[in-house]
Every structure is written in C-alpha cells, then in structure tokens.
Amino acid sequence: MKIVAENLSIHVRGVDIVHQVSCTIPENSLTSIVGPNGSGKSTILHAISRNIINWSGQLTDIDERQLCLLPQNLDPPPFFSILDVVNLGFYGKKLAKNEKLEMTIYLLDKCGVASVQNRSFANASSGEQQRGWLAFALAQSKDVTLLDEPLSSVDLPSRKNLYQLLLNFTRTGKTLVVVTHDIDMALIFSDKIIRLEGGIKVFEGTTAQYQEAYSILS
Amino acid sequence: MRYLSLVCLVAFLILVGIFVGPANASLEEAINGLFFSGEGLMKTIIWDIRIPRILVCLLVGGNLGLAGVLIQLSTRSPLGDPNLFGIGGGAAIFLATISAGIISVGQFGVFLGCIISSVIVAILLAKLISTVDLTPTKLAIMGIAVGALTITIGTSIISHGRVFPTQIIGLVAGSFTSSNWTVIYYLLPTFIICSLTSVMLSHKFYPIMLGDILSRSLGVNPLKTRTITMGLVGILSGASVYAAGLVGFVGLTSPHIAKKIVGTTPMNLIIGSSLIGALTTMFADQVARLLFTPTELPVGMVTTVIGAPMMMYMAAKLK
C-alpha cells in the first residue's frame, strides 16, 4: 500500500514539529527515514498511524487493521516471556494454536532469540527485547509496518541479517518504513530514503541519489 | 492442584467461622445447631449469624479480588485497588446520604444505589485516565485523588446528619456484623454475572498488556475495553460496599498473591485473584472477630494492617 503525504504539518502540544512535508512512500518497498534528533521522524510515523491527530495537509488514510507501528522505547510488558510476546503477534488470526506456535518459533529463530525464548521479556537485554519486538511486528504481517529505530541496540553483525530479513519481508508484498540513524544500513538495504532536518524534508530519493547528494563514499 | 489447596484453605476458614465464636458453644452444641432441627439458640446463631456472615465475607472478598485484578489488567498498573481509588467511595457517599437520612429507599434501592454511584465514579475515572500515555504512576495519582475526594464528600455528609459512630466505622473501615441472607441474595448473582463477563473478556487483556498503541494494531480498542472493565469494577465494588463498607487493600494485594500461586495468564489471574480475595477477607474477618473477642475490630483495619506494608514493599520494587 502506497502512503502519500502532501503539505503535511504536525503540531504536538502547540509546538510545530513537521512543516509542509510532501513525500511518497512506495508500496512493497523498504523506505528509511533519516535525519538528526528532533527532526520529526517519529512524529510522522505517529501521524500515519493516527496516534497524533493534530495535523494538517493530506495523508493517506490506512485502515487500523492493516497497520502496525512499533514505537521506540516500548515498556516491556509485565510477566510475559519473549515467546509469549511474539506469539501475541498472531492474536486474532484464524490459526490453530500449534500453527501459531510453529510460526512463532520460526520467527524467533530468524530474529536470533530462539535460545532465550523462555526468558521473561522484562529481564531480557535491550537488544534481545528489540529482536523480540521485531519478531512480534513481523508476526502481525500487516500491509504497512512502521518501525521506529527497531535495531538501535542490536549488535552490528546481526543487524545486517535482520535488515536482510526486513527487505525479504517487503518482497512478500508489504510496505515497510524504518526510522533510523544507521545510515550505513539504510544505504545498503533501502529502496528509498527520506531525510528530514528541523521538521522539513531535505531529501527524497534512491540510495544512489542520496550518496551523490551527501557525497558519501561507498 | 494449586486451586485445590486454595479451596481447602477456604474450607478450613469456613469451619472456623461456623464453630468458633463469642457464643462459646461446645462443638457438640454447634453441630446440633448446624444439622438438627429444633428451636435452640445455637441454631439461630449458626444459621442466621455465622453462616450468612461467612458467605458475605466470601462474596465481598471475591468481588474485591476480581475488581482489583480487573483494574490492574486493564490499566497495566500493578497499583490498582477499587476502594483506594474511590470507586467504592462512590457507594460510600450514597450510603452516607442514607445514614444521614437525606434520602430514604428500600433494601433493594440501597443496593442498586450503591452500584449506580460506584459505576459513575468508575466511568469517571476511566475517562480521566483515557490519555494516550497512561503510566502506572499517573493512574495511581489520579486514583488516589479521586479516592480522597469521595471519602471527603462521604464524611462531610455523615457529619452533616448526626450518625452513630458505629455506623461510620462500619462504613469507612468495613464490617461484616450486619450480614444477613438478603445481602447474599443480592451479592451472589452480581458476583456470578461479573465473573462470567470477566472470563469472557479475559482474552482481550493479552493485547492490552502490550500497551495501547500495540493493542490497537492487534485489533483491540484499549479505551473501550478499559471503560467496560471499569464498569464491571464499579458494579463489583458498589456491591461490596453495600454489604461490608470500605474494606481496603484486598483488591490491591489479591492479584499479586494470585500471580505467585496460579501463574500470570489473564484467565488464571481472574480466577485466582477472586479466590485469594475471598480467602484473605475470610481470614481478616476471623482475626477481626476473634482476636479481642467479644469486642470486634473493623475488618478493614485488619486488611489494611496486612495490605499497607505489602503496598510499600511493591512500590519500592516498582521501576
């Protein structure tokens, strides 16, 4: 599903966070949103998912049931194990219990937390928690998935594998938006990059165009 | 097995409740009164005082345990308690206006009025906490503020009308002395209906425990579920205040004890917390009744003496 924003301005508690942003997030692709702290990256995700309602301009309306937003710094849920959380990604899906469990275990393995699946979520390390949340989001398998710095605490070698996993996920007909500070990974795995600075869009295009514009040697 | 041991404990306390008391009857007399017909005094004591009191104790405890776990599950806050948060206080205000002679209704009217006024406070609280970023601390502050407000209104009304001190103590500190069969006829269906509804709702608490944003993406509207749940909490605590006044801390502590004994799935917590609530209230009432017999302590005093330190301990451990 394609997401289009036109002249999007967002206010949070009376402060203008995003000004007149127009951009297109193509379907079945991985789009990275980059930019310095406080540039409005997360705010845009919250507007797309309608958690923030004080915005003006135009923004594609996405059915709540087709969308999953994974915010930053999620509170670990009380008394669930990592397996429980990932399994909840299948909540409400018409699947048999053992089918859900099978797919959960597959995802846990893919995200590299199979060995700690029975650990209490709150006691897992922040990297493990992020892997758990990622598996949870992928389990939902929504048309549009919005991830806010999903891998910031994950070690570098695994990060590559997980980005590859995300890219493969989009190839099954899903639209994925990742907010990240990890430009290196974004350049390797994104189909499109959007850069914000101070609430204004300063770049929108392919990774090659980004490298050219910001003269990064690859 | 764990449920079985809980049931055994409850059964033991029921036996204590039937056979021990200030009437100082021998075991033989008590058994005679319990099982055999006759017009003896012991029969009246057992069938019209002790047994109704035990049943009301169990039902009020079950109500409070269930109400507590419902608040804690629907708000993700480990610090939820219906009476601490003023939901029972709604019913207490209504009872105060009756004690003060401002309004006058029949038995069923009193019961219904208690439930309605508690539901009003519960829904009000649900609206107050319907923000996107509900945190346990925020909920606790809101709840305690609402609780303080209802107690103040209640006591103002009581001091306006000249009411006997025992009535006031019964209301604000909880008492089972006025238990009778009518109370049971009102309480039993209330508890059954509310617990069945809670069990049917229980699966919705899984997504809610992940937080509001993620819950919505799993197709469960957290605000709606929370409002319905709070409505149930209102009914449960209104009924319990009608029967026994404000018995504090049972709703707060029961879910935490249940968590240790029966596990952490919402369904287990709902059943376990109701049982633990019944058990602790029974225990507290036996202590209140027998510790300084024939003088009785208010049962709320016993639950608070046990519950308050538990809450301090939990608050210290809270992140």
Side-chain angles (χ1 to χ4, degrees), chain B residues 205-266:
Chain B
F205 294 125
Y206 285 100
I208 284 190
M209 286 206 283
L210 298 181
D212 285 8
I213 291 177
L214 296 182
S215 166
R216 230 174 293 139
S217 84
L218 292 175
V220 171
N221 182 332
L223 297 185
K224 203 173 124 193
T225 312
R226 203 172 289 140
T227 309
I228 296 172
T229 313
M230 284 306 227
L232 280 177
V233 171
I235 296 173
L236 288 164
S237 43
S240 75
V241 171
Y242 161 78
L246 293 167
V247 182
F249 288 98
V250 174
L252 180 85
T253 50
S254 301
H256 293 275
I257 303 172
K259 203 183 296 173
K260 294 262 185 284
I261 300 177
V262 297
T264 57
T265 64

Short mmCIF file of all heavy atoms in Angstrom, two decimals, chain B residues 205-266:
data_model
loop_
_atom_site.label_atom_id
_atom_site.label_comp_id
_atom_site.label_asym_id
_atom_site.label_seq_id
_atom_site.Cartn_x
_atom_site.Cartn_y
_atom_site.Cartn_z
N PHE B 205 -7.26 -8.96 27.41
CA PHE B 205 -6.23 -8.35 28.25
C PHE B 205 -4.83 -8.68 27.75
O PHE B 205 -3.89 -8.00 28.10
CB PHE B 205 -6.39 -8.77 29.71
CG PHE B 205 -7.67 -8.25 30.32
CD1 PHE B 205 -8.58 -9.09 30.91
CD2 PHE B 205 -7.94 -6.89 30.28
CE1 PHE B 205 -9.75 -8.60 31.46
CE2 PHE B 205 -9.11 -6.39 30.83
CZ PHE B 205 -10.02 -7.24 31.42
N TYR B 206 -4.70 -9.71 26.91
CA TYR B 206 -3.37 -10.01 26.36
C TYR B 206 -2.82 -8.83 25.56
O TYR B 206 -1.75 -8.34 25.87
CB TYR B 206 -3.42 -11.26 25.48
CG TYR B 206 -3.52 -12.56 26.22
CD1 TYR B 206 -4.73 -13.22 26.35
CD2 TYR B 206 -2.39 -13.15 26.76
CE1 TYR B 206 -4.81 -14.43 27.01
CE2 TYR B 206 -2.47 -14.36 27.43
CZ TYR B 206 -3.69 -15.00 27.54
OH TYR B 206 -3.77 -16.19 28.20
N PRO B 207 -3.54 -8.36 24.52
CA PRO B 207 -3.00 -7.23 23.76
C PRO B 207 -2.86 -5.98 24.63
O PRO B 207 -1.90 -5.23 24.48
CB PRO B 207 -4.05 -6.98 22.68
CG PRO B 207 -4.84 -8.21 22.59
CD PRO B 207 -4.78 -8.86 23.92
N ILE B 208 -3.80 -5.78 25.56
CA ILE B 208 -3.75 -4.56 26.36
C ILE B 208 -2.49 -4.50 27.20
O ILE B 208 -1.94 -3.42 27.43
CB ILE B 208 -5.03 -4.47 27.22
CG1 ILE B 208 -6.17 -4.03 26.29
CG2 ILE B 208 -4.86 -3.52 28.39
CD1 ILE B 208 -7.42 -3.66 26.94
N MET B 209 -1.98 -5.66 27.60
CA MET B 209 -0.76 -5.65 28.41
C MET B 209 0.46 -5.21 27.62
O MET B 209 1.50 -4.92 28.20
CB MET B 209 -0.54 -7.02 29.02
CG MET B 209 -1.53 -7.26 30.15
SD MET B 209 -0.96 -8.39 31.38
CE MET B 209 -1.19 -9.93 30.60
N LEU B 210 0.36 -5.16 26.29
CA LEU B 210 1.48 -4.67 25.49
C LEU B 210 1.47 -3.15 25.35
O LEU B 210 2.37 -2.57 24.76
CB LEU B 210 1.44 -5.29 24.08
CG LEU B 210 1.56 -6.80 24.00
CD1 LEU B 210 1.51 -7.24 22.55
CD2 LEU B 210 2.84 -7.28 24.64
N GLY B 211 0.44 -2.49 25.85
CA GLY B 211 0.36 -1.04 25.70
C GLY B 211 -0.68 -0.68 24.66
O GLY B 211 -1.06 -1.49 23.82
N ASP B 212 -1.14 0.58 24.73
CA ASP B 212 -2.28 1.00 23.92
C ASP B 212 -2.00 0.97 22.42
O ASP B 212 -2.83 0.54 21.63
CB ASP B 212 -2.74 2.39 24.33
CG ASP B 212 -3.50 2.35 25.66
OD1 ASP B 212 -3.50 1.26 26.28
OD2 ASP B 212 -4.08 3.37 26.05
N ILE B 213 -0.81 1.44 22.02
CA ILE B 213 -0.53 1.53 20.58
C ILE B 213 -0.50 0.14 19.95
O ILE B 213 -1.13 -0.11 18.92
CB ILE B 213 0.80 2.28 20.35
CG1 ILE B 213 0.63 3.75 20.73
CG2 ILE B 213 1.26 2.15 18.91
CD1 ILE B 213 1.89 4.57 20.61
N LEU B 214 0.22 -0.78 20.59
CA LEU B 214 0.32 -2.13 20.03
C LEU B 214 -1.01 -2.86 20.14
O LEU B 214 -1.37 -3.64 19.26
CB LEU B 214 1.42 -2.91 20.75
CG LEU B 214 2.82 -2.35 20.58
CD1 LEU B 214 3.84 -3.21 21.29
CD2 LEU B 214 3.18 -2.24 19.10
N SER B 215 -1.76 -2.58 21.21
CA SER B 215 -3.06 -3.22 21.38
C SER B 215 -3.98 -2.88 20.21
O SER B 215 -4.69 -3.73 19.68
CB SER B 215 -3.66 -2.77 22.70
OG SER B 215 -5.00 -3.09 22.76
N ARG B 216 -3.94 -1.60 19.81
CA ARG B 216 -4.80 -1.19 18.71
C ARG B 216 -4.43 -1.91 17.41
O ARG B 216 -5.29 -2.29 16.63
CB ARG B 216 -4.73 0.33 18.52
CG ARG B 216 -6.10 0.96 18.45
CD ARG B 216 -6.02 2.46 18.42
NE ARG B 216 -5.51 2.98 19.67
CZ ARG B 216 -4.64 3.98 19.77
NH1 ARG B 216 -4.15 4.56 18.70
NH2 ARG B 216 -4.26 4.40 20.94
N SER B 217 -3.12 -2.10 17.19
CA SER B 217 -2.72 -2.76 15.94
C SER B 217 -3.12 -4.24 15.96
O SER B 217 -3.20 -4.87 14.91
CB SER B 217 -1.23 -2.58 15.68
OG SER B 217 -0.50 -3.55 16.37
N LEU B 218 -3.38 -4.79 17.16
CA LEU B 218 -3.85 -6.18 17.23
C LEU B 218 -5.37 -6.24 17.19
O LEU B 218 -5.96 -7.31 17.38
CB LEU B 218 -3.33 -6.86 18.49
CG LEU B 218 -1.82 -7.09 18.53
CD1 LEU B 218 -1.39 -7.66 19.86
CD2 LEU B 218 -1.38 -8.03 17.41
N GLY B 219 -6.02 -5.09 16.98
CA GLY B 219 -7.47 -5.08 16.79
C GLY B 219 -8.27 -5.00 18.08
O GLY B 219 -9.46 -5.26 18.07
N VAL B 220 -7.64 -4.66 19.20
CA VAL B 220 -8.39 -4.49 20.44
C VAL B 220 -8.33 -3.02 20.85
O VAL B 220 -7.24 -2.47 21.04
CB VAL B 220 -7.81 -5.37 21.57
CG1 VAL B 220 -8.45 -5.03 22.91
CG2 VAL B 220 -8.04 -6.84 21.25
N ASN B 221 -9.50 -2.39 20.93
CA ASN B 221 -9.55 -0.98 21.29
C ASN B 221 -9.35 -0.84 22.81
O ASN B 221 -10.21 -1.25 23.59
CB ASN B 221 -10.90 -0.40 20.87
CG ASN B 221 -11.02 1.07 21.18
OD1 ASN B 221 -10.39 1.58 22.11
ND2 ASN B 221 -11.84 1.76 20.42
N PRO B 222 -8.21 -0.27 23.23
CA PRO B 222 -7.92 -0.27 24.66
C PRO B 222 -8.88 0.61 25.46
O PRO B 222 -9.25 0.25 26.58
CB PRO B 222 -6.49 0.28 24.75
CG PRO B 222 -6.24 0.93 23.45
CD PRO B 222 -7.13 0.32 22.44
N LEU B 223 -9.30 1.74 24.89
CA LEU B 223 -10.17 2.64 25.65
C LEU B 223 -11.52 1.99 25.91
O LEU B 223 -12.06 2.05 27.02
CB LEU B 223 -10.36 3.97 24.91
CG LEU B 223 -9.09 4.79 24.71
CD1 LEU B 223 -9.42 6.13 24.07
CD2 LEU B 223 -8.38 5.00 26.04
N LYS B 224 -12.06 1.36 24.86
CA LYS B 224 -13.37 0.72 25.00
C LYS B 224 -13.30 -0.41 26.02
O LYS B 224 -14.14 -0.49 26.94
CB LYS B 224 -13.79 0.18 23.62
CG LYS B 224 -15.29 0.01 23.48
CD LYS B 224 -15.63 -0.36 22.05
CE LYS B 224 -16.41 -1.64 22.00
NZ LYS B 224 -16.52 -2.20 20.66
N THR B 225 -12.30 -1.27 25.88
CA THR B 225 -12.17 -2.40 26.81
C THR B 225 -12.00 -1.89 28.24
O THR B 225 -12.58 -2.43 29.17
CB THR B 225 -10.95 -3.25 26.42
OG1 THR B 225 -11.02 -3.51 25.03
CG2 THR B 225 -10.94 -4.57 27.17
N ARG B 226 -11.20 -0.82 28.39
CA ARG B 226 -10.95 -0.29 29.73
C ARG B 226 -12.24 0.27 30.33
O ARG B 226 -12.50 0.08 31.52
CB ARG B 226 -9.88 0.80 29.65
CG ARG B 226 -9.16 1.03 30.94
CD ARG B 226 -8.00 1.96 30.75
NE ARG B 226 -6.91 1.34 30.01
CZ ARG B 226 -6.18 1.96 29.08
NH1 ARG B 226 -6.43 3.20 28.75
NH2 ARG B 226 -5.22 1.32 28.48
N THR B 227 -13.04 0.95 29.52
CA THR B 227 -14.28 1.52 30.04
C THR B 227 -15.25 0.42 30.47
O THR B 227 -15.85 0.49 31.55
CB THR B 227 -14.95 2.42 28.98
OG1 THR B 227 -13.96 3.34 28.50
CG2 THR B 227 -16.10 3.20 29.57
N ILE B 228 -15.39 -0.62 29.63
CA ILE B 228 -16.26 -1.74 30.00
C ILE B 228 -15.77 -2.38 31.29
O ILE B 228 -16.53 -2.64 32.22
CB ILE B 228 -16.30 -2.80 28.87
CG1 ILE B 228 -16.94 -2.20 27.61
CG2 ILE B 228 -17.06 -4.04 29.33
CD1 ILE B 228 -16.85 -3.10 26.40
N THR B 229 -14.44 -2.60 31.36
CA THR B 229 -13.87 -3.24 32.54
C THR B 229 -14.13 -2.39 33.78
O THR B 229 -14.48 -2.91 34.85
CB THR B 229 -12.36 -3.44 32.35
OG1 THR B 229 -12.14 -4.01 31.08
CG2 THR B 229 -11.80 -4.35 33.41
N MET B 230 -13.94 -1.08 33.65
CA MET B 230 -14.16 -0.20 34.80
C MET B 230 -15.62 -0.23 35.23
O MET B 230 -15.92 -0.13 36.43
CB MET B 230 -13.73 1.24 34.47
CG MET B 230 -12.24 1.43 34.46
SD MET B 230 -11.48 0.88 35.99
CE MET B 230 -10.45 2.24 36.33
N GLY B 231 -16.53 -0.36 34.26
CA GLY B 231 -17.94 -0.50 34.59
C GLY B 231 -18.17 -1.72 35.48
O GLY B 231 -18.85 -1.66 36.50
N LEU B 232 -17.53 -2.83 35.09
CA LEU B 232 -17.62 -4.06 35.92
C LEU B 232 -17.06 -3.82 37.31
O LEU B 232 -17.63 -4.25 38.31
CB LEU B 232 -16.84 -5.19 35.25
CG LEU B 232 -17.50 -5.94 34.11
CD1 LEU B 232 -16.52 -6.96 33.54
CD2 LEU B 232 -18.75 -6.65 34.59
N VAL B 233 -15.91 -3.13 37.35
CA VAL B 233 -15.28 -2.83 38.64
C VAL B 233 -16.25 -2.03 39.51
O VAL B 233 -16.40 -2.28 40.71
CB VAL B 233 -13.97 -2.04 38.44
CG1 VAL B 233 -13.43 -1.55 39.77
CG2 VAL B 233 -12.94 -2.91 37.74
N GLY B 234 -16.96 -1.08 38.87
CA GLY B 234 -17.94 -0.27 39.60
C GLY B 234 -19.03 -1.14 40.21
O GLY B 234 -19.36 -1.00 41.39
N ILE B 235 -19.57 -2.06 39.42
CA ILE B 235 -20.63 -2.94 39.93
C ILE B 235 -20.12 -3.77 41.11
O ILE B 235 -20.74 -3.85 42.17
CB ILE B 235 -21.14 -3.88 38.81
CG1 ILE B 235 -21.78 -3.05 37.69
CG2 ILE B 235 -22.13 -4.89 39.37
CD1 ILE B 235 -22.16 -3.86 36.46
N LEU B 236 -18.93 -4.36 40.92
CA LEU B 236 -18.37 -5.23 41.95
C LEU B 236 -18.10 -4.49 43.25
O LEU B 236 -18.44 -4.95 44.33
CB LEU B 236 -17.07 -5.87 41.44
CG LEU B 236 -17.22 -6.95 40.38
CD1 LEU B 236 -15.89 -7.20 39.69
CD2 LEU B 236 -17.75 -8.23 40.99
N SER B 237 -17.47 -3.30 43.14
CA SER B 237 -17.11 -2.64 44.40
C SER B 237 -18.32 -1.96 45.02
O SER B 237 -18.41 -1.89 46.24
CB SER B 237 -15.93 -1.68 44.21
OG SER B 237 -16.08 -0.93 43.06
N GLY B 238 -19.28 -1.52 44.19
CA GLY B 238 -20.52 -0.98 44.74
C GLY B 238 -21.22 -2.03 45.58
O GLY B 238 -21.65 -1.78 46.71
N ALA B 239 -21.31 -3.25 45.04
CA ALA B 239 -21.97 -4.34 45.77
C ALA B 239 -21.22 -4.66 47.05
O ALA B 239 -21.83 -4.92 48.10
CB ALA B 239 -22.06 -5.58 44.89
N SER B 240 -19.89 -4.62 47.00
CA SER B 240 -19.13 -4.99 48.20
C SER B 240 -19.26 -3.92 49.28
O SER B 240 -19.33 -4.24 50.47
CB SER B 240 -17.66 -5.24 47.85
OG SER B 240 -17.00 -4.04 47.62
N VAL B 241 -19.33 -2.65 48.88
CA VAL B 241 -19.50 -1.59 49.88
C VAL B 241 -20.91 -1.68 50.49
O VAL B 241 -21.08 -1.49 51.70
CB VAL B 241 -19.26 -0.20 49.26
CG1 VAL B 241 -19.66 0.91 50.23
CG2 VAL B 241 -17.81 -0.04 48.88
N TYR B 242 -21.88 -2.00 49.68
CA TYR B 242 -23.24 -2.20 50.19
C TYR B 242 -23.24 -3.25 51.31
O TYR B 242 -23.87 -3.08 52.34
CB TYR B 242 -24.16 -2.65 49.05
CG TYR B 242 -25.44 -3.30 49.52
CD1 TYR B 242 -26.50 -2.54 50.01
CD2 TYR B 242 -25.57 -4.69 49.49
CE1 TYR B 242 -27.65 -3.14 50.46
CE2 TYR B 242 -26.73 -5.30 49.94
CZ TYR B 242 -27.76 -4.52 50.42
OH TYR B 242 -28.90 -5.11 50.88
N ALA B 243 -22.48 -4.33 51.09
CA ALA B 243 -22.51 -5.43 52.04
C ALA B 243 -21.63 -5.20 53.26
O ALA B 243 -21.97 -5.59 54.36
CB ALA B 243 -22.08 -6.72 51.35
N ALA B 244 -20.47 -4.55 53.06
CA ALA B 244 -19.49 -4.54 54.16
C ALA B 244 -18.75 -3.22 54.34
O ALA B 244 -17.81 -3.16 55.13
CB ALA B 244 -18.48 -5.65 53.93
N GLY B 245 -19.12 -2.17 53.63
CA GLY B 245 -18.38 -0.92 53.76
C GLY B 245 -17.05 -0.99 53.02
O GLY B 245 -16.85 -1.87 52.18
N LEU B 246 -16.17 -0.05 53.33
CA LEU B 246 -14.91 0.03 52.60
C LEU B 246 -13.85 -0.88 53.21
O LEU B 246 -13.25 -0.55 54.23
CB LEU B 246 -14.40 1.47 52.60
CG LEU B 246 -15.24 2.48 51.81
CD1 LEU B 246 -14.81 3.90 52.14
CD2 LEU B 246 -15.11 2.22 50.32
N VAL B 247 -13.63 -2.01 52.60
CA VAL B 247 -12.57 -2.93 53.04
C VAL B 247 -11.38 -2.69 52.12
O VAL B 247 -11.42 -3.02 50.94
CB VAL B 247 -13.03 -4.40 52.95
CG1 VAL B 247 -11.94 -5.31 53.45
CG2 VAL B 247 -14.31 -4.60 53.75
N GLY B 248 -10.33 -2.07 52.66
CA GLY B 248 -9.22 -1.64 51.81
C GLY B 248 -8.22 -2.73 51.52
O GLY B 248 -8.14 -3.73 52.24
N PHE B 249 -7.45 -2.55 50.46
CA PHE B 249 -6.25 -3.31 50.12
C PHE B 249 -6.48 -4.75 49.65
O PHE B 249 -5.54 -5.37 49.17
CB PHE B 249 -5.26 -3.34 51.31
CG PHE B 249 -4.61 -2.00 51.51
CD1 PHE B 249 -5.08 -1.13 52.46
CD2 PHE B 249 -3.54 -1.62 50.72
CE1 PHE B 249 -4.50 0.12 52.64
CE2 PHE B 249 -2.94 -0.39 50.89
CZ PHE B 249 -3.43 0.48 51.86
N VAL B 250 -7.70 -5.29 49.78
CA VAL B 250 -7.90 -6.66 49.29
C VAL B 250 -7.73 -6.68 47.77
O VAL B 250 -7.07 -7.56 47.21
CB VAL B 250 -9.29 -7.19 49.68
CG1 VAL B 250 -9.55 -8.54 49.04
CG2 VAL B 250 -9.40 -7.29 51.19
N GLY B 251 -8.32 -5.69 47.09
CA GLY B 251 -8.21 -5.63 45.64
C GLY B 251 -6.80 -5.41 45.16
O GLY B 251 -6.40 -5.86 44.09
N LEU B 252 -6.01 -4.71 45.97
CA LEU B 252 -4.64 -4.41 45.58
C LEU B 252 -3.74 -5.64 45.71
O LEU B 252 -2.95 -5.94 44.82
CB LEU B 252 -4.10 -3.28 46.46
CG LEU B 252 -2.67 -2.86 46.16
CD1 LEU B 252 -2.64 -1.86 45.04
CD2 LEU B 252 -1.99 -2.30 47.39
N THR B 253 -3.88 -6.35 46.82
CA THR B 253 -2.93 -7.42 47.11
C THR B 253 -3.30 -8.75 46.45
O THR B 253 -2.41 -9.50 46.06
CB THR B 253 -2.80 -7.63 48.62
OG1 THR B 253 -4.11 -7.76 49.17
CG2 THR B 253 -2.10 -6.47 49.28
N SER B 254 -4.61 -9.02 46.30
CA SER B 254 -5.01 -10.34 45.79
C SER B 254 -4.37 -10.70 44.45
O SER B 254 -3.87 -11.83 44.30
CB SER B 254 -6.53 -10.42 45.67
OG SER B 254 -7.12 -10.21 46.91
N PRO B 255 -4.36 -9.79 43.45
CA PRO B 255 -3.76 -10.19 42.18
C PRO B 255 -2.28 -10.54 42.32
O PRO B 255 -1.79 -11.44 41.63
CB PRO B 255 -3.91 -8.94 41.30
CG PRO B 255 -5.01 -8.17 41.92
CD PRO B 255 -4.93 -8.44 43.39
N HIS B 256 -1.58 -9.85 43.24
CA HIS B 256 -0.15 -10.12 43.38
C HIS B 256 0.11 -11.47 44.03
O HIS B 256 1.04 -12.18 43.67
CB HIS B 256 0.51 -9.00 44.19
CG HIS B 256 0.48 -7.70 43.45
ND1 HIS B 256 1.44 -7.34 42.54
CD2 HIS B 256 -0.42 -6.69 43.46
CE1 HIS B 256 1.13 -6.17 42.02
NE2 HIS B 256 0.01 -5.75 42.56
N ILE B 257 -0.75 -11.82 45.00
CA ILE B 257 -0.61 -13.15 45.61
C ILE B 257 -0.99 -14.21 44.58
O ILE B 257 -0.31 -15.22 44.43
CB ILE B 257 -1.49 -13.26 46.87
CG1 ILE B 257 -1.13 -12.15 47.86
CG2 ILE B 257 -1.33 -14.62 47.53
CD1 ILE B 257 -2.06 -12.06 49.05
N ALA B 258 -2.06 -13.94 43.83
CA ALA B 258 -2.52 -14.90 42.82
C ALA B 258 -1.43 -15.16 41.79
O ALA B 258 -1.21 -16.29 41.36
CB ALA B 258 -3.78 -14.37 42.14
N LYS B 259 -0.73 -14.09 41.40
CA LYS B 259 0.33 -14.19 40.41
C LYS B 259 1.37 -15.23 40.84
O LYS B 259 1.85 -16.03 40.06
CB LYS B 259 0.98 -12.81 40.28
CG LYS B 259 1.70 -12.58 38.99
CD LYS B 259 2.37 -11.21 39.01
CE LYS B 259 1.38 -10.07 39.11
NZ LYS B 259 2.07 -8.77 39.30
N LYS B 260 1.71 -15.20 42.15
CA LYS B 260 2.72 -16.12 42.68
C LYS B 260 2.19 -17.56 42.71
O LYS B 260 2.95 -18.50 42.57
CB LYS B 260 3.11 -15.71 44.10
CG LYS B 260 3.81 -14.37 44.18
CD LYS B 260 5.32 -14.56 44.26
CE LYS B 260 6.04 -13.24 44.44
NZ LYS B 260 6.12 -12.44 43.22
N ILE B 261 0.89 -17.72 42.91
CA ILE B 261 0.37 -19.06 43.13
C ILE B 261 -0.13 -19.72 41.85
O ILE B 261 0.18 -20.88 41.57
CB ILE B 261 -0.75 -19.04 44.19
CG1 ILE B 261 -0.20 -18.50 45.50
CG2 ILE B 261 -1.33 -20.44 44.40
CD1 ILE B 261 -1.22 -18.37 46.59
N VAL B 262 -0.91 -19.01 41.04
CA VAL B 262 -1.54 -19.68 39.90
C VAL B 262 -1.00 -19.26 38.55
O VAL B 262 -1.48 -19.72 37.51
CB VAL B 262 -3.08 -19.47 39.90
CG1 VAL B 262 -3.69 -20.09 41.12
CG2 VAL B 262 -3.43 -18.00 39.79
N GLY B 263 0.01 -18.38 38.51
CA GLY B 263 0.57 -18.01 37.22
C GLY B 263 0.01 -16.70 36.71
O GLY B 263 -0.76 -16.03 37.39
N THR B 264 0.38 -16.36 35.48
CA THR B 264 0.18 -14.98 35.05
C THR B 264 -0.74 -14.79 33.85
O THR B 264 -0.87 -13.68 33.36
CB THR B 264 1.54 -14.37 34.67
OG1 THR B 264 2.12 -15.20 33.67
CG2 THR B 264 2.45 -14.28 35.86
N THR B 265 -1.37 -15.85 33.34
CA THR B 265 -2.28 -15.58 32.23
C THR B 265 -3.52 -14.88 32.78
O THR B 265 -3.92 -15.12 33.91
CB THR B 265 -2.70 -16.88 31.52
OG1 THR B 265 -3.43 -17.66 32.47
CG2 THR B 265 -1.52 -17.67 31.04
N PRO B 266 -4.12 -13.97 31.98
CA PRO B 266 -5.26 -13.21 32.48
C PRO B 266 -6.36 -14.10 33.07
O PRO B 266 -6.91 -13.79 34.14
CB PRO B 266 -5.75 -12.48 31.24
CG PRO B 266 -4.53 -12.27 30.42
CD PRO B 266 -3.70 -13.49 30.65
#
